[in-house]
Amino acid sequence: MEFSQITTIAGKEFWDRIRNRWVLAVALVFTVFALSIAYFGSAQQGAVGFRSIEVTIASLVSLVIYLIPLIALLLGFDAIVGERERGSLDLLLSMPITRFELLLGKYLGLAGALTFSTIAGFGLVGIVLSAQLDLNALFHYFGFMLSSVLLGCAFLSLAVMLSVFASDRTRASGLAIALWFFFVLIFDLLVLGVLVVTGGQWGGEALPYVMLLNPADVFRILNIFTLEDVRTLYGLATVFPATLAQPWLLGLVMAGWIAAPLAIAAWRFRR
């Protein structure tokens, strides 16, 4: 494996997103939404202005779970199938580069663009709020940004996997939207439905482990469980055991969600 080939492909993908203003647009969206939530998130209770980092992160988590997976899936769904439809895939593979190097380079370039836009957007908000935050609050906010990056990379990995399996861009885009609906909207409803129908007699003890099968839920637990007041408000203390909610353990689960789809995509792409 030639790392120079991988970095060349990754650099091209990254700078293509910079040149078409994609990174700037996404970073601006994150900044506007985050500032609005930080200062106007409590307007319904008759309060305007920054209240606390716990309330802000809890509100941002709800936003990020919907927004970042969708952006990541739309960013990566045509990474391979798009090249195949344009006829440029055969040209790329005729060069001294392996299929794995091409796949990994494309993923790293797209992940770099998504990471840059996420950190730039939320980081700017962190700078604005830094005068009102202590070191502990800044630590929690930094953890939120890092987990947002991991969430985006996990769904980007799923998007690249879809791009390898799909036969055309139309099918790939449809599968990407279906995947977003399943993990963001349908998964939790299915789990809740099973618990309600069975009266909690089936799946109750397995619920924490079932939630690990959804990267969006892992992201939510990773952020909410570390905030005492918000954890109690969400009721996670009674559902998710503290021994399973260790940040390092949940981080490993997110890393698995990044690596597993990429490994499947690499296996399929070599065939």
Side-chain angles (χ1 to χ4, degrees):
M1 184 170 62
E2 293 287 340
F3 289 100
S4 60
Q5 303 281 21
I6 296 173
T7 55
T8 299
I9 296 294
K12 178 185 180 301
E13 290 293 328
F14 178 82
W15 288 110
D16 282 348
R17 298 309 181 281
I18 295 289
R19 280 191 291 269
N20 67 15
R21 310 290 176 86
W22 184 92
V23 170
L24 177 62
V26 173
L28 184 61
V29 168
F30 288 155
T31 300
V32 170
F33 275 112
L35 280 176
S36 300
I37 287 174
Y39 283 97
F40 304 106
S42 302
Q44 291 181 339
Q45 287 76 38
V48 176
F50 178 74
R51 293 178 59 190
S52 68
I53 194 63
E54 289 82 3
V55 174
T56 300
I57 289 178
S59 300
L60 285 174
V61 165
S62 299
L63 169 70
V64 166
I65 281 178
Y66 287 95
L67 195 58
I68 285 187
L70 181 61
I71 291 174
L73 288 167
L74 294 179
L75 176 64
F77 80 89
D78 67 341
I80 299 300
V81 71
E83 297 282 3
R84 186 184 296 124
E85 282 198 349
R86 289 189 293 269
S88 55
L89 182 60
D90 291 335
L91 177 62
L92 286 171
L93 293 176
S94 67
M95 299 178 181
I97 183 173
T98 66
R99 288 175 175 264
F100 179 72
E101 290 168 352
L102 175 62
L103 181 71
L104 186 58
K106 277 187 164 291
Y107 174 80
L108 291 178
L110 295 173
L114 183 60
T115 298
F116 183 82
S117 61
T118 303
I119 293 178
F122 290 131
L124 180 59
V125 176
I127 293 173
V128 173
L129 298 177
S130 60
Q132 306 175 59
L133 302 177
D134 56 22
L135 287 178
N136 186 56
L138 285 174
F139 174 77
H140 282 300
Y141 190 76
F142 177 78
F144 160 75
M145 288 197 301
L146 178 60
S147 62
S148 297
V149 170
L150 291 176
L151 177 67
C153 289
F155 275 92
L156 180 62
S157 182
L158 289 168
V160 171
M161 182 185 69
L162 290 179
S163 184
V164 171
F165 278 90
S167 57
D168 54 69
R169 292 181 74 253
T170 301
R171 190 165 299 179
S173 63
L175 289 173
I177 297 300
L179 205 63
W180 180 83
F181 269 102
F182 175 75
F183 280 117
V184 175
L185 299 175
I186 299 176
F187 184 91
D188 288 344
L189 290 177
L190 289 176
V191 173
L192 182 61
V194 170
L195 291 174
V196 171
V197 169
T198 61
Q201 296 179 0
W202 187 89
E205 294 182 356
L207 179 61
Y209 301 95
V210 173
M211 294 176 72
L212 297 180
L213 299 176
N214 185 349
D217 282 335
V218 177
F219 169 78
R220 181 187 290 114
I221 296 165
L222 187 57
N223 283 279
I224 298 302
F225 209 91
T226 56
L227 304 173
E228 183 66 34
D229 295 339
V230 181
R231 177 179 61 186
T232 304
L233 179 65
Y234 273 67
L236 283 178
T238 59
V239 175
F240 211 86
T243 55
L244 198 60
Q246 301 298 321
W248 66 269
L249 180 59
L250 294 175
L252 287 178
V253 173
M254 289 295 281
W257 271 107
I258 295 172
L262 273 181
I264 295 172
W267 168 78
R268 181 66 177 84
F269 195 44
R270 286 182 176 182
R271 298 183 63 184

